[in-house]
Amino acid sequence: MSLARAAGMTGLAFALLASSLQTPANAAGQVKPADIQQAIDNVARTDGVVGVVGELYVDGRRKGQASAGTRLIGGRGGRIPPGSRYRIASQTKLMEAAVVLQLAGEGRLGLDDKLGDVLPGVYGEGDDKITVRDLIRHTSGIPDSGEAGKFDVFDFTTPYKPIDLVKAARALPQGELGQYRYATTNYVLLGMIIEKVTGHDRAAEFERRLFAPLGMKHTYLATKVSDQIKGPHGHGYYPDANGRPRDVDRLNATSYGVEGAISTAHDVSAFFRALNQGKLVPSELSKQLPRPFPELCGGTVSSASGGLPGISSVTFSSADGRTQLAMAATLKIDNEQAMAVGDAMKQAAGAVLCPGR
């Protein structure tokens, strides 16, 4: 089964408006642990969910955590520990965008630099016009490598290099420059740019610039076939050609490019708190971050979500960065069916962060 069917889409939204009603931080401050448990239980009742974890933070302090379902399919393995690690999938892209914008703020990279100048000979077609800004915004016209059908969801052993994903995308019909076209390949190329400019691998730059400064002690970047989730955690499953769910806990990080961060609700909340409070990206560059429409509480709460085979994760964060609700659900369905799980998470977040709306 190819990654084209399995590829998860991300939604990134940031708060733009103030609300005249109760702020998310005030509302969340009144939430009881039982409210978090009820919200997570509601997500766990959605078809296709194996297990769910979630935590609520206000001003960096945990206000509640919950777990529902089980670690393994069929009710086996007991509950997932609430503080377990999970794959945050495309939420990793926003971390990478933050690193790129930091480099731009340091003068080591220009947003209008051409792809062909920064990575000569790597992509080819149109790289004399595609800019770093286009890659960040998904307006390069470059297709997603998963559409090539060359990567198998259940191949847990073949190591791929970033250039392999780029070549797969290069063989596909190109889109129009300037038009939005979501493609992980854009961020594969940004990852290569980070390594070219800094002389360090992406994992080292993420650790130095994000994970260590923000106290994200349980977060790391999976970049190798052997990089798996450490410690007790929930297993995800994906249907094979016969519709039978197969364990994809050994997901091959190298075939998914840049979606490899493995984190916890605590750590990913710390990232979004810092990002929304302007502590990571220079203010004059923050407008370059992807900004789809805010989703909850009258536009004062945004979400960043990610999906890979067997996992759906989302972090809701208030505009002022004071409040975060991070959730992750392990699945036994494909990503199209998982859309209902995303809707359930949004409803659960709304009940917690903006009651009465």
Side-chain angles (χ1 to χ4, degrees):
M1 184 176 299
S2 75
L3 299 189
R5 179 184 169 206
M9 296 295 288
T10 187
L12 299 175
F14 294 86
L16 301 176
L17 305 174
S19 172
S20 60
L21 301 178
Q22 189 178 40
T23 66
N26 290 338
Q30 300 171 17
V31 171
K32 300 175 182 177
D35 298 327
I36 304 296
Q37 186 63 60
Q38 181 178 350
I40 296 302
D41 286 341
N42 289 340
V43 175
R45 283 192 283 270
T46 310
D47 288 344
V49 171
V50 179
V52 190
V53 294
E55 295 188 11
L56 173 68
Y57 287 86
V58 178
D59 295 329
R61 298 180 180 88
R62 189 173 66 204
K63 293 297 182 178
Q65 64 176 181
S67 174
T70 53
R71 289 183 57 232
L72 306 174
I73 200 170
R76 296 178 292 113
R79 287 199 173 192
I80 311 172
S84 294
R85 292 183 176 95
Y86 55 86
R87 300 181 192 277
I88 67 170
S90 284
Q91 294 185 63
T92 312
K93 290 188 177 73
L94 195 47
M95 295 178 178
E96 183 155 284
V99 171
V100 171
L101 291 174
Q102 285 183 2
L103 291 171
E106 294 165 6
R108 303 174 69 180
L109 182 68
L111 296 183
D112 293 318
D113 288 351
K114 300 299 188 294
L115 175 59
D117 293 332
V118 183
L119 294 177
V122 170
Y123 194 75
E125 185 172 349
D127 67 1
D128 59 333
K129 297 182 176 64
I130 296 169
T131 66
V132 171
R133 191 192 317 270
D134 289 318
L135 297 176
I136 293 173
R137 293 182 170 183
H138 295 285
T139 56
S140 67
I142 294 173
D144 195 294
S145 58
E147 299 172 8
K150 294 184 176 182
F151 309 101
D152 189 339
V153 174
F154 304 115
D155 177 1
F156 306 128
T157 59
T158 304
Y160 295 100
K161 296 179 180 179
I163 191 62
D164 296 326
L165 307 185
V166 172
K167 288 179 179 178
R170 198 167 55 196
L172 297 170
Q174 304 298 295
E176 184 177 348
L177 180 64
Q179 294 296 314
Y180 180 84
R181 179 180 183 176
Y182 183 90
T184 295
T185 317
N186 288 306
Y187 278 73
V188 173
L189 288 163
L190 286 173
M192 297 173 73
I193 289 173
I194 289 172
E195 295 187 345
K196 175 72 176 297
V197 170
T198 66
H200 305 136
D201 63 34
R202 289 170 54 245
E205 286 299 306
F206 273 54
E207 177 66 27
R208 184 172 74 86
R209 293 173 175 272
L210 303 176
F211 303 159
L214 297 178
M216 299 169 66
K217 297 180 180 179
H218 301 290
T219 303
Y220 56 97
L221 205 60
T223 60
K224 302 175 182 177
V225 173
S226 58
D227 289 340
Q228 302 303 319
I229 301 176
K230 301 173 183 177
H233 61 275
H235 283 226
Y237 302 79
Y238 199 82
D240 62 17
N242 297 317
R244 294 174 299 192
R246 288 181 55 185
D247 192 324
V248 289
D249 185 59
R250 294 175 57 211
L251 201 66
N252 185 348
T254 68
S255 61
Y256 288 90
V258 296
E259 301 187 339
I262 294 172
S263 190
T264 64
H266 170 276
D267 285 6
V268 76
S269 293
F271 169 77
F272 283 100
R273 183 163 52 253
L275 186 71
N276 281 11
Q277 292 181 345
K279 297 178 180 178
L280 293 181
V281 176
S283 58
E284 69 275 13
L285 294 174
S286 63
K287 62 181 178 294
Q288 303 301 329
L289 291 164
R291 293 175 182 266
F293 192 75
E295 293 194 284
L296 293 177
C297 307
T300 63
V301 171
S302 63
S303 69
S305 60
L308 285 171
I311 183 71
S312 179
S313 67
V314 60
T315 306
F316 297 90
S317 185
S318 62
D320 57 13
R322 294 184 60 195
T323 305
Q324 289 78 38
L325 176 61
M327 292 183 279
T330 45
L331 312 173
K332 56 182 178 182
I333 50 179
D334 65 33
N335 282 77
E336 290 184 12
Q337 297 170 306
M339 293 179 65
V341 179
D343 291 340
M345 288 180 167
K346 181 178 177 180
Q347 292 175 6
V352 171
L353 300 177
C354 36
R357 284 186 180 268

